[in-house]
Amino acid sequence: MMFDVSYLINELILPLAAVFVNGFVCKNSMDVKAEDFFFDGLNPGNPNKLGSVVNLVNVEKIPGLNTLGISLARIDFAPFGLNPPHTHPRATEILTVIEGELYVGFVTSYLNGGGNKLFTKLLKKGDVFVFPQGLIHFQFNKGHTNAVAIAGLSSQNPGAITIANAVFGSKLPISDDVLAKAFQVDKKTVDWLQAQFWRDNNN
Amino acid sequence: MMFDVSYLINELILPLAAVFVNGFVCKNSMDVKAEDFFFDGLNPGNPNKLGSVVNLVNVEKIPGLNTLGISLARIDFAPFGLNPPHTHPRATEILTVIEGELYVGFVTSYLNGGGNKLFTKLLKKGDVFVFPQGLIHFQFNKGHTNAVAIAGLSSQNPGAITIANAVFGSKLPISDDVLAKAFQVDKKTVDWLQAQFWRDNNN
Amino acid sequence: MMFDVSYLINELILPLAAVFVNGFVCKNSMDVKAEDFFFDGLNPGNPNKLGSVVNLVNVEKIPGLNTLGISLARIDFAPFGLNPPHTHPRATEILTVIEGELYVGFVTSYLNGGGNKLFTKLLKKGDVFVFPQGLIHFQFNKGHTNAVAIAGLSSQNPGAITIANAVFGSKLPISDDVLAKAFQVDKKTVDWLQAQFWRDNNN
Amino acid sequence: MMFDVSYLINELILPLAAVFVNGFVCKNSMDVKAEDFFFDGLNPGNPNKLGSVVNLVNVEKIPGLNTLGISLARIDFAPFGLNPPHTHPRATEILTVIEGELYVGFVTSYLNGGGNKLFTKLLKKGDVFVFPQGLIHFQFNKGHTNAVAIAGLSSQNPGAITIANAVFGSKLPISDDVLAKAFQVDKKTVDWLQAQFWRDNNN
Amino acid sequence: MMFDVSYLINELILPLAAVFVNGFVCKNSMDVKAEDFFFDGLNPGNPNKLGSVVNLVNVEKIPGLNTLGISLARIDFAPFGLNPPHTHPRATEILTVIEGELYVGFVTSYLNGGGNKLFTKLLKKGDVFVFPQGLIHFQFNKGHTNAVAIAGLSSQNPGAITIANAVFGSKLPISDDVLAKAFQVDKKTVDWLQAQFWRDNNN
Amino acid sequence: MMFDVSYLINELILPLAAVFVNGFVCKNSMDVKAEDFFFDGLNPGNPNKLGSVVNLVNVEKIPGLNTLGISLARIDFAPFGLNPPHTHPRATEILTVIEGELYVGFVTSYLNGGGNKLFTKLLKKGDVFVFPQGLIHFQFNKGHTNAVAIAGLSSQNPGAITIANAVFGSKLPISDDVLAKAFQVDKKTVDWLQAQFWRDNNN
């Protein structure tokens, strides 16, 4: 195969070359510039069907974040908007409310017959709450006005798993044998739920 | 308050003194013994109502594991037994089948309009599969015979979150407003599911 | 010495017992509650003499943050307020502007005859900027209106070193021999600078 | 030099592109598939001359393990088979016996006039033992039947250093001046030992 | 673009291929040789204008150090030579004096109204001192004879920020509005200082 | 039990309270002082029977090193002195020669039929060499004059395992069945070696 290598260079090699491993900057660190540490759109977007929208600034949006172990998100809530139960597989989240109020909670990990406890708080403007790494958590705007939160996450690529979507809306679907047994419902209910999420999974 | 400090010493201080931080052993490391690195019961237990039972050997069972970043589990499956969709908030799992067969899978993290994909395999004896940190995964024995797996986990305290139990069976329950919206079902369905899990949450 | 151990228990032992090491929760984890993950005062304070005020929510304010590797700050700026050149010895900072505008910058680390470069940006509302771990950085409100920023930091105890204060205002003072030579000024200038910071070091 | 770059792409660039750094998946993560997390041969092999065989599933066998900090091994023992004293330079090992019995041990690190202690246990089926990172350890089947163990290791690339082979059988050999002095034997004994291991070093 | 890919291979790809990630050695590890772990010039150099010279052996000089988290430096001091106040953004330093004497110190991080304290020691030959990660520190030879120190640093790429140079001598300069306010001097003084460092910044 | 708690406080609680976890300083950090970062005896000692002496400054000698991930050693060699084959289970070592010459080497980890290679160098004054974490290495003074080295290690508690002592001189001894098989010698030779090391193990 003989071909133009500019794609190769621009799309595969340079992005890799931009990677720092544990603080070791490659030679072309001389080409780093302010833009590599900048992103200009942490703005509200269009709420999804649950009335919320998450804008996450991670290493895909700011390449200079790589290996630095942090990212930042803005979450906007319409009245009665919900950021539904989800986890970040690689990050703890610390969140503050900058507008409105949010009812928030997380469920602890199962531990020797204990754990599996729900911890909740009603957060007002200026309140701060922590969602420890990997735990299922949610934020809910119970009020008639908008709410806005800013959150820090302890990874440059925290990931997000929306429980309902991952369980009932994955591509390909999880076998309904598995889900019926796990959720203790009949397969028809599972199939109906999966149909919901297949159709609407445009979060 | 004036009182007998032996409880104080034996229950609170010595366990703390046993903690290594990053390999630094406290003075009473002279008292460490083989038993601190040993556990004698990685045996099958009684399957739960889903037909599986997990026996996890973590830092609570082997104190010498502290700071060493690993634990081990044995999972037994009755015919058609299920280890239902769950996550380990602080660990990757690598599993091998030592008896029978298992149908296993995990769902990837959501990522920029991609992700949320189901990856599955039918594992035979001697096959190995990896469930990356924090991702939702399950193991299902589709066959008429027992199955047994051994798994390593990359934390001395990996934690486990059974999705259905954490979502519908937490103590206290998550508000049905939240769950009805998240799962796109009516509150009655949520209340019924929560009743299931409240009654039976003896995993 | 024979005495009441209640202080001992409440002030020394229990706080230690609350420490997680790498996710291992001590036995009294059963006593953890929502308040351990909550702080209710990420509000603006009174600007210091440079026209800024930093409100940092770290592990001292939220004990549940321990080992989780993240904290959050709010920074308020009066018109022409400055958060002067400083470093966080244990954290990267990712900041977004939620009100007004900020002129921000950092200086890269010295590297083989390169480095020591200033990178700056004028940030508007919704813009995000990253200050990599340990690098000297500042935020300056060049405008006639207030400005507000929220920042995530990649440590539960990031620390902060305000350069001018650490160099000229430490308790005890750095020898003026050292500072005169380092800054290439005469000792009188150093002594005058040190007098400034000794008197006013109430950041 | 002008040449076909397909080797370049397939052998050098794509494997690199497959590397995650701290959870950051490169763009071609879209091409990740179940096979990247799967290995189908954790089976017994032919015992070596000491009567044991180690089958290690690390990042070379499962590329998806990269950065995930774990691997898994199966060790088979003929009657009186020995997994001789060795270390894993980058991992702690947690092992369980699934068939037969094993006599196992490790020697602690030297510490201020203490340490250098041997800890041993006779493990039966279902027993678990931990070999902390970097310590010399062994497993010995003292019985007349086969034995089998499964072990988790806290690195995707734990490494293994068989002491006798590394000391007396390295390619090139360690100077017999060094070994004679270290082991307090004459050079002839060292030379004889080195000849043994050079000839047979086909572990 | 159609061109000779030898530069591409030699300068961009092979150096990347040499990177280990968390101990995972790429396939061409077979080509690793003793030279990759060796450097032959930790010798004294020519003191700079402050009378000191730092010779740092990091991952740029020894490629095999990558991911190993350590580097080594030799620092030579002429009589009255100063290694001026600086930080290492990614490393703790542990230093010993092997010739002469050194007056050393560091300033602690600011903490809740405390911190910002100077800790100093006069080190004689054989004394050891620790400068914790990211804190401002200096070493000063107060005597009429040369002094030499060897230091270990806890990163393969510790970085170095000389405070005076980074603040007053960066390329481009920090705005004198910022510096005048931060150091509480008038802009003319700042401009004069910046001129000093622009002219002489050949550390 | 009713007793004087001063021992309890001074010996058990305060040392624990001095521990930082990931940079989090306990309240009594106000009592930290320069001495916590200082050690005054990195001097040559009396060579052992092999003609070398290691003086390691780790967290036991400098409490302030805890969690900082580094330590420092001085190694003195008489003519023909040997620092015999050993490993550091928790650290990489970077060493420079400050007097005389040293012949040094390490053996790589076994890897898929490769590895187990000896890498050596003759180091002169000013040369630097790296011994990667956990690998067996040695330093040998082949000359008629003394030699001195300084080494940084990437852990506050690197540990040291002298191979010959750990294998043949542990307290209790490793079974001669195990060692005879591992080293391919008869049990009498093992017993004789063990007698050597039991008698002389005063390193």
Side-chain angles (χ1 to χ4, degrees):
Chain A
M1 184 174 74
M2 201 66 167
F3 80 139
D4 183 328
V5 296
S6 61
Y7 170 80
L8 179 66
I9 294 171
N10 292 328
E11 294 306 308
L12 288 174
I13 296 173
L14 292 186
L16 279 169
V19 167
F20 309 69
V21 174
N22 201 9
F24 175 51
V25 186
C26 301
K27 276 188 193 133
N28 40 4
S29 68
M30 293 307 159
D31 303 330
V32 170
K33 51 194 184 312
E35 276 64 29
D36 294 329
F37 299 91
F38 173 71
F39 176 72
D40 67 354
L42 193 56
N43 300 313
N46 293 322
N48 61 19
K49 67 192 166 190
L50 301 185
S52 72
V53 54
V54 178
N55 191 336
L56 170 65
V57 184
N58 64 8
V59 68
E60 295 180 280
K61 294 193 182 137
I62 300 190
L65 274 176
N66 211 2
T67 78
L68 295 180
I70 196 155
S71 53
L72 198 73
R74 176 184 168 125
I75 315 165
D76 284 79
F77 299 84
F80 304 102
L82 173 68
N83 188 7
H86 65 287
T87 70
H88 303 293
R90 291 177 294 273
T92 290
E93 177 175 348
I94 180 168
L95 171 148
T96 191
V97 174
I98 63 171
E99 190 182 318
E101 289 187 6
L102 287 172
Y103 171 75
V104 304
F106 68 85
V107 180
T108 64
S109 172
Y110 182 78
L111 189 71
N112 277 351
N116 219 18
K117 286 185 193 167
L118 177 67
F119 287 170
T120 60
K121 271 283 171 186
L122 183 64
L123 303 183
K124 294 166 202 261
K125 195 173 162 174
D127 287 353
V128 178
F129 204 73
V130 173
F131 307 102
Q133 179 173 331
L135 301 189
I136 297 177
H137 60 287
F138 61 87
Q139 297 112 18
F140 187 33
N141 179 8
K142 291 171 117 168
H144 290 270
T145 57
N146 290 336
V148 183
I150 302 281
L153 296 111
S154 64
S155 165
Q156 67 269 15
N157 183 30
I161 301 170
T162 300
I163 299 300
N165 291 16
V167 171
F168 295 108
S170 64
K171 278 154 284 168
L172 315 177
I174 296 176
S175 142
D176 56 7
D177 283 328
V178 167
L179 292 181
K181 199 158 197 173
F183 285 85
Q184 304 177 29
V185 295
D186 55 28
K187 288 197 197 182
K188 252 193 338 216
T189 306
V190 168
D191 297 344
W192 181 82
L193 279 163
Q194 290 186 319
Q196 298 292 310
F197 284 91
W198 273 108
R199 203 173 51 231
D200 296 332
N201 187 19
N202 53 0
N203 172 250
Chain B
M1 185 176 73
M2 200 65 166
F3 81 135
D4 184 328
V5 296
S6 61
Y7 170 80
L8 178 65
I9 294 169
N10 293 327
E11 296 304 310
L12 289 173
I13 296 173
L14 292 187
L16 278 169
V19 167
F20 308 67
V21 174
N22 200 6
F24 174 50
V25 185
C26 302
K27 275 188 194 137
N28 41 3
S29 68
M30 293 308 159
D31 304 330
V32 170
K33 49 194 184 315
E35 278 65 28
D36 295 330
F37 299 91
F38 174 69
F39 176 72
D40 67 355
L42 192 56
N43 301 311
N46 294 319
N48 61 20
K49 67 189 165 192
L50 299 184
S52 72
V53 53
V54 178
N55 192 338
L56 171 64
V57 184
N58 64 8
V59 70
E60 296 181 279
K61 295 194 181 137
I62 299 190
L65 275 176
N66 211 2
T67 77
L68 295 181
I70 196 156
S71 52
L72 199 74
R74 176 186 167 121
I75 317 166
D76 283 78
F77 299 83
F80 305 102
L82 174 67
N83 188 7
H86 64 286
T87 69
H88 304 292
R90 291 176 293 274
T92 289
E93 178 176 347
I94 179 167
L95 172 148
T96 190
V97 173
I98 62 171
E99 189 183 318
E101 289 187 5
L102 287 172
Y103 171 74
V104 305
F106 69 85
V107 180
T108 64
S109 171
Y110 182 80
L111 190 71
N112 277 354
N116 218 21
K117 286 185 192 167
L118 178 68
F119 287 170
T120 61
K121 271 280 171 189
L122 183 64
L123 303 184
K124 294 162 202 266
K125 197 173 160 174
D127 287 355
V128 179
F129 204 74
V130 173
F131 307 103
Q133 180 173 330
L135 300 190
I136 296 177
H137 60 287
F138 61 87
Q139 297 111 19
F140 185 34
N141 180 7
K142 290 170 119 169
H144 290 268
T145 57
N146 289 336
V148 183
I150 302 281
L153 297 111
S154 65
S155 165
Q156 68 268 16
N157 184 32
I161 301 170
T162 300
I163 300 302
N165 291 17
V167 171
F168 294 109
S170 63
K171 275 153 287 167
L172 315 179
I174 297 177
S175 143
D176 56 7
D177 283 330
V178 167
L179 293 181
K181 200 158 194 173
F183 285 84
Q184 303 177 30
V185 294
D186 58 28
K187 288 197 196 183
K188 251 190 342 211
T189 306
V190 167
D191 296 344
W192 179 83
L193 279 163
Q194 289 185 319
Q196 299 292 311
F197 283 91
W198 272 109
R199 202 172 53 228
D200 296 333
N201 186 20
N202 54 0
N203 173 252
Chain C
M1 184 174 76
M2 202 68 168
F3 80 137
D4 184 328
V5 297
S6 61
Y7 170 80
L8 179 66
I9 294 169
N10 293 327
E11 297 303 311
L12 289 174
I13 297 173
L14 293 186
L16 279 170
V19 167
F20 309 68
V21 174
N22 200 8
F24 174 50
V25 185
C26 301
K27 274 184 194 138
N28 41 4
S29 69
M30 292 308 159
D31 303 331
V32 170
K33 49 194 186 313
E35 276 66 28
D36 295 329
F37 299 90
F38 174 69
F39 175 72
D40 67 355
L42 192 55
N43 300 313
N46 293 320
N48 61 20
K49 68 191 165 189
L50 300 185
S52 72
V53 54
V54 178
N55 192 336
L56 171 65
V57 183
N58 64 8
V59 70
E60 295 180 281
K61 294 194 181 136
I62 299 189
L65 275 176
N66 210 3
T67 76
L68 296 179
I70 196 156
S71 53
L72 199 72
R74 176 185 169 123
I75 316 166
D76 284 79
F77 300 83
F80 305 102
L82 173 68
N83 189 7
H86 64 286
T87 71
H88 303 293
R90 291 177 295 274
T92 290
E93 177 175 348
I94 180 168
L95 171 149
T96 190
V97 174
I98 62 170
E99 190 182 318
E101 290 187 3
L102 287 173
Y103 171 74
V104 305
F106 68 84
V107 180
T108 65
S109 172
Y110 183 79
L111 191 70
N112 277 353
N116 218 20
K117 286 186 194 166
L118 177 70
F119 287 171
T120 62
K121 270 282 173 188
L122 182 66
L123 303 183
K124 295 167 202 260
K125 199 172 162 174
D127 287 353
V128 178
F129 204 74
V130 173
F131 307 102
Q133 180 174 328
L135 301 190
I136 296 177
H137 60 287
F138 62 87
Q139 297 111 17
F140 185 35
N141 180 7
K142 289 170 120 170
H144 289 269
T145 59
N146 289 335
V148 183
I150 302 280
L153 296 110
S154 65
S155 165
Q156 67 269 15
N157 184 30
I161 300 171
T162 300
I163 299 301
N165 291 15
V167 170
F168 294 109
S170 63
K171 278 155 281 167
L172 313 181
I174 297 177
S175 146
D176 55 7
D177 282 328
V178 167
L179 294 180
K181 199 156 194 173
F183 284 85
Q184 303 177 27
V185 294
D186 57 27
K187 288 198 197 180
K188 249 187 348 205
T189 306
V190 168
D191 296 344
W192 181 81
L193 279 162
Q194 290 186 319
Q196 300 291 311
F197 283 91
W198 273 109
R199 201 170 56 228
D200 295 332
N201 186 20
N202 54 359
N203 171 255
Chain D
M1 187 174 73
M2 201 67 167
F3 79 138
D4 183 329
V5 296
S6 61
Y7 170 80
L8 179 67
I9 293 170
N10 292 328
E11 295 305 309
L12 289 173
I13 296 173
L14 291 186
L16 279 169
V19 168
F20 309 67
V21 174
N22 200 6
F24 173 51
V25 186
C26 301
K27 272 184 195 138
N28 40 2
S29 68
M30 292 308 158
D31 303 330
V32 170
K33 53 196 181 310
E35 278 65 28
D36 295 329
F37 299 91
F38 173 69
F39 176 72
D40 67 356
L42 192 55
N43 300 314
N46 294 320
N48 61 19
K49 66 189 167 191
L50 300 185
S52 72
V53 53
V54 178
N55 192 336
L56 171 65
V57 185
N58 63 8
V59 68
E60 294 180 281
K61 295 195 182 137
I62 300 191
L65 276 177
N66 210 2
T67 78
L68 295 180
I70 195 155
S71 52
L72 199 73
R74 174 186 169 121
I75 317 167
D76 284 78
F77 299 83
F80 304 101
L82 173 69
N83 189 7
H86 64 286
T87 70
H88 303 293
R90 292 177 292 273
T92 289
E93 177 176 348
I94 180 167
L95 171 150
T96 191
V97 173
I98 62 169
E99 190 182 319
E101 289 186 4
L102 287 173
Y103 171 75
V104 305
F106 69 83
V107 180
T108 64
S109 170
Y110 182 80
L111 190 69
N112 276 352
N116 218 20
K117 286 186 193 165
L118 177 69
F119 287 171
T120 62
K121 272 281 173 191
L122 182 66
L123 303 183
K124 293 164 202 265
K125 199 172 160 174
D127 288 354
V128 178
F129 204 74
V130 173
F131 307 101
Q133 179 173 330
L135 300 191
I136 297 178
H137 61 287
F138 61 87
Q139 296 112 19
F140 186 35
N141 179 8
K142 289 170 120 169
H144 290 268
T145 57
N146 289 336
V148 183
I150 302 280
L153 295 113
S154 63
S155 166
Q156 66 270 15
N157 182 31
I161 301 170
T162 301
I163 299 300
N165 291 16
V167 170
F168 295 108
S170 63
K171 275 154 289 166
L172 316 181
I174 296 177
S175 144
D176 54 8
D177 283 329
V178 166
L179 292 181
K181 200 158 196 173
F183 284 85
Q184 303 177 29
V185 294
D186 56 28
K187 287 196 194 181
K188 254 192 336 211
T189 307
V190 167
D191 296 344
W192 181 81
L193 280 162
Q194 290 185 319
Q196 299 291 312
F197 284 92
W198 272 109
R199 203 173 51 228
D200 297 333
N201 187 21
N202 53 359
N203 174 250
Chain E
M1 186 175 72
M2 202 66 165
F3 80 137
D4 183 329
V5 296
S6 61
Y7 170 80
L8 179 65
I9 294 170
N10 292 327
E11 296 303 309
L12 288 174
I13 295 173
L14 292 187
L16 278 168
V19 167
F20 308 69
V21 174
N22 199 7
F24 175 51
V25 186
C26 301
K27 274 186 195 138
N28 39 6
S29 69
M30 292 307 158
D31 303 331
V32 170
K33 49 192 183 316
E35 277 64 30
D36 295 330
F37 299 91
F38 173 70
F39 176 72
D40 67 355
L42 193 55
N43 300 312
N46 293 320
N48 62 19
K49 68 189 166 193
L50 300 184
S52 73
V53 54
V54 178
N55 191 336
L56 171 65
V57 183
N58 64 8
V59 69
E60 295 180 281
K61 294 193 182 138
I62 300 190
L65 275 176
N66 210 3
T67 77
L68 295 180
I70 196 155
S71 52
L72 198 73
R74 174 185 170 123
I75 317 166
D76 284 79
F77 299 84
F80 304 102
L82 173 69
N83 188 6
H86 64 286
T87 70
H88 303 293
R90 293 177 292 274
T92 290
E93 177 176 347
I94 180 167
L95 171 149
T96 191
V97 174
I98 62 170
E99 189 181 319
E101 289 188 4
L102 287 174
Y103 171 75
V104 305
F106 69 83
V107 179
T108 64
S109 170
Y110 183 79
L111 191 70
N112 277 353
N116 218 22
K117 286 185 194 168
L118 177 68
F119 288 170
T120 61
K121 270 282 172 189
L122 182 66
L123 303 183
K124 293 165 204 263
K125 198 173 161 175
D127 287 353
V128 179
F129 204 74
V130 172
F131 307 101
Q133 180 173 330
L135 301 190
I136 297 177
H137 60 288
F138 61 87
Q139 297 111 18
F140 186 33
N141 180 7
K142 289 170 119 170
H144 290 269
T145 58
N146 289 336
V148 183
I150 302 281
L153 295 112
S154 65
S155 165
Q156 67 269 15
N157 184 31
I161 301 169
T162 300
I163 299 301
N165 291 15
V167 171
F168 295 108
S170 62
K171 277 153 284 167
L172 312 181
I174 297 177
S175 142
D176 56 6
D177 282 329
V178 166
L179 292 181
K181 200 157 193 173
F183 285 84
Q184 303 176 30
V185 294
D186 56 29
K187 288 196 194 182
K188 251 191 340 210
T189 305
V190 168
D191 296 345
W192 181 82
L193 279 162
Q194 291 186 318
Q196 298 292 311
F197 284 91
W198 273 109
R199 203 172 51 229
D200 295 331
N201 188 20
N202 54 359
N203 174 250
Chain F
M1 187 174 72
M2 200 67 166
F3 79 140
D4 184 328
V5 297
S6 60
Y7 170 80
L8 178 67
I9 294 169
N10 292 326
E11 297 303 309
L12 289 172
I13 297 172
L14 293 187
L16 279 168
V19 168
F20 310 66
V21 175
N22 200 5
F24 174 50
V25 185
C26 300
K27 274 185 194 138
N28 40 5
S29 69
M30 292 309 158
D31 303 330
V32 171
K33 51 195 182 313
E35 276 66 28
D36 295 330
F37 298 92
F38 174 69
F39 175 71
D40 66 355
L42 192 56
N43 300 314
N46 293 320
N48 61 19
K49 68 191 165 189
L50 300 185
S52 72
V53 54
V54 178
N55 191 336
L56 171 64
V57 184
N58 64 7
V59 69
E60 296 179 280
K61 294 193 182 137
I62 300 190
L65 275 176
N66 211 3
T67 76
L68 296 181
I70 197 158
S71 52
L72 198 73
R74 175 186 169 122
I75 317 168
D76 283 79
F77 299 83
F80 303 101
L82 174 68
N83 188 8
H86 64 286
T87 69
H88 303 293
R90 292 177 292 274
T92 290
E93 178 176 347
I94 180 169
L95 171 149
T96 192
V97 174
I98 63 170
E99 191 182 317
E101 291 187 3
L102 287 172
Y103 172 75
V104 305
F106 69 83
V107 180
T108 65
S109 172
Y110 183 80
L111 190 70
N112 277 351
N116 218 21
K117 285 186 195 166
L118 177 68
F119 287 171
T120 61
K121 270 282 172 189
L122 182 67
L123 304 183
K124 295 164 202 261
K125 198 172 161 175
D127 287 354
V128 178
F129 204 74
V130 172
F131 307 101
Q133 181 173 328
L135 301 190
I136 297 178
H137 61 288
F138 62 86
Q139 296 111 20
F140 186 34
N141 179 6
K142 289 171 120 169
H144 289 268
T145 58
N146 289 334
V148 183
I150 301 281
L153 296 112
S154 66
S155 165
Q156 66 269 16
N157 183 32
I161 300 171
T162 300
I163 299 302
N165 291 16
V167 171
F168 295 108
S170 64
K171 275 153 287 170
L172 314 182
I174 297 177
S175 146
D176 54 7
D177 283 330
V178 166
L179 293 181
K181 199 158 196 173
F183 284 83
Q184 304 178 29
V185 293
D186 56 28
K187 286 198 198 180
K188 250 191 340 211
T189 307
V190 167
D191 296 345
W192 179 81
L193 279 163
Q194 290 185 319
Q196 298 293 311
F197 283 92
W198 273 108
R199 204 172 51 229
D200 297 332
N201 187 22
N202 53 0
N203 174 251

